[in-house]
Amino acid sequence: MTAPSDPAPTGVPSAVPPPGGAPAPRGTGRLLAVSDLHAAVTDNRPIVESLHATSDADWLIVAGDVAERPDDIRWALSLLAERFAQVIWTPGNHELWTLDKDPVQLRGQARYEHLVELCRELGVITPEDPFPLWPGPEGPVAIAPLFLLYDYTFRAPGTHTKEESLAVAHESGIVCNDEYLLHPDPYPTRDDWCRARVAETERRLAAHDPEIPLVLAGHWPLVREPTSVMWYPEFAQWCGTELTADWHRRFNVAAVVYGHLHIPRTTWYDDVRFEEVSIGYPREWRERGHPRGLLRQILPYEAESAPPARTGTATSGGSR
């Protein structure tokens, strides 16, 4: 059998300047984030329609999996672009799927470029644009939307190669739909595309002014640790790459935003805050609700009443 495109939940609840330009006056809004809207799902559409800013200066990060078809992606992002001072998008795996009945049959890099142009028509910032400066109360923070993919290095337990890890997944029936729907053209494999994206993104991050803090925002987690609470450990191989494991330490990172796992929560690694901000599918959010709200406030950071958890553990409760 083929598993869903994302792992099952574990029960853990949990006037803007041009990109790269001078920031607006300090402290005039919030930096919010959401991911995995899955706007083509009937019961998720009202959730998208309910998302509003509370200030005309609020910014919104949309960290992938808006929908599969460009028309649904356009609907959701155009709605959000009308409501938030700036929207920043990075693709998830679902945007990159090429479905049989999709009028847009572009694959791989060509599909991604098509979505970048769609976003630019809407005024939405993409991973191909200069990092925009969000005007924080303590000075500007650069938002870096990351498109990185995965390279199968988050291997299934007990395996040592991509081939062994994939074999275990197929034997268990836990196989991501990406294997059939996400094409890497013109790259030979998805992991080749991932390595190219990582190299280019790393170059841009290294060239960034280290005095300006970064929010790194992408669909896949930068470290493997968040995948340890998934019901199906075989699925981790579609969740990131070991090549990014030290980015939160190497660069001046204020926070990391990601989705994909459908396990919304806050964790800390090396004293850097990681926010999983997904909405997920109805079967998931009906079970856990939205205890942290639909939109997660990334900055200004409002510390929880409990002290930050130790490295690698969640700060918001629930059994894992």
Side-chain angles (χ1 to χ4, degrees):
M1 67 179 261
T2 300
S5 60
D6 295 288
T10 64
V12 180
S14 335
V16 177
R26 293 183 178 185
T28 56
R30 301 178 300 159
L31 178 64
L32 304 166
V34 72
S35 75
D36 298 80
L37 292 169
H38 296 288
V41 177
T42 300
D43 288 347
N44 276 28
R45 212 163 176 92
I47 290 179
V48 179
E49 293 172 333
S50 76
L51 301 178
H52 286 272
T54 58
S55 159
D56 59 7
D58 284 351
W59 287 30
L60 180 64
I61 294 167
V62 182
D65 279 8
V66 175
E68 294 77 22
R69 293 177 174 83
D71 56 347
D72 290 318
I73 297 168
R74 179 184 292 276
W75 171 80
L77 290 181
S78 62
L79 184 71
L80 297 173
E82 292 172 356
R83 296 175 175 180
F84 292 85
Q86 183 64 67
V87 172
I88 300 162
W89 166 85
T90 188
N93 52 317
H94 281 241
E95 283 99 334
L96 301 173
W97 286 1
T98 305
L99 303 177
D100 288 342
K101 295 183 179 180
D102 189 341
V104 178
Q105 284 295 300
L106 296 171
R107 293 162 51 125
Q109 178 71 20
R111 187 173 190 85
Y112 171 61
E113 291 174 354
H114 176 75
L115 295 173
V116 168
E117 289 307 310
L118 181 157
C119 286
R120 287 175 171 167
E121 292 173 16
L122 302 174
V124 172
I125 291 171
T126 78
E128 304 310 304
D129 298 314
F131 302 156
L133 297 180
W134 176 76
E138 298 181 4
V141 177
I143 315 303
L146 312 177
F147 169 36
L148 300 173
L149 287 162
Y150 49 84
D151 63 0
Y152 303 91
T153 51
F154 292 179
R155 298 187 183 104
T159 65
H160 304 283
T161 67
K162 170 187 172 181
E163 291 73 23
E164 289 178 358
S165 186
L166 282 171
V168 167
H170 280 277
E171 289 168 6
S172 64
I174 307 301
V175 180
C176 183
N177 284 330
D178 290 5
E179 294 296 306
Y180 314 103
L181 300 173
L182 199 165
H183 305 285
D185 313 23
Y187 296 92
T189 65
R190 282 173 289 277
D191 30 326
D192 287 321
W193 194 6
C194 170
R195 286 186 284 270
R197 291 299 314 182
V198 167
E200 172 59 17
T201 305
E202 189 172 24
R203 180 194 67 76
R204 291 186 65 191
L205 291 173
H208 174 73
D209 183 350
E211 296 299 315
I212 301 177
L214 286 155
V215 170
L216 302 182
H219 185 63
W220 295 271
L222 295 183
V223 297
R224 177 167 185 160
E225 286 84 348
T227 70
S228 65
V229 297
M230 294 192 302
W231 278 351
Y232 304 113
E234 302 91 342
F235 198 89
Q237 61 197 295
W238 291 283
C239 295
T241 169
E242 292 180 348
L243 295 172
T244 62
D246 66 347
W247 284 13
H248 64 291
R249 299 192 303 270
R250 286 177 53 199
F251 305 112
N252 181 10
V253 175
V256 177
V257 174
Y258 68 101
H260 190 56
L261 305 186
H262 292 198
I263 308 172
R265 58 178 183 155
T266 302
T267 51
W268 294 78
Y269 306 104
D270 304 296
D271 297 321
V272 176
R273 178 168 45 100
F274 282 61
E275 299 280 6
E276 208 280 13
V277 298
S278 60
I279 298 296
Y281 296 121
R283 67 177 183 271
E284 296 163 333
W285 53 255
R286 285 197 182 107
E287 178 180 340
R288 59 171 154 78
H290 302 290
R292 308 199 59 191
L294 296 173
L295 299 178
R296 188 78 55 82
Q297 181 167 324
I298 307 303
L299 294 173
Y301 175 52
E302 297 180 345
E304 300 177 38
S305 57
R310 294 181 180 179
T311 297
T313 59
T315 62
S316 53
S319 60
R320 296 189 299 279

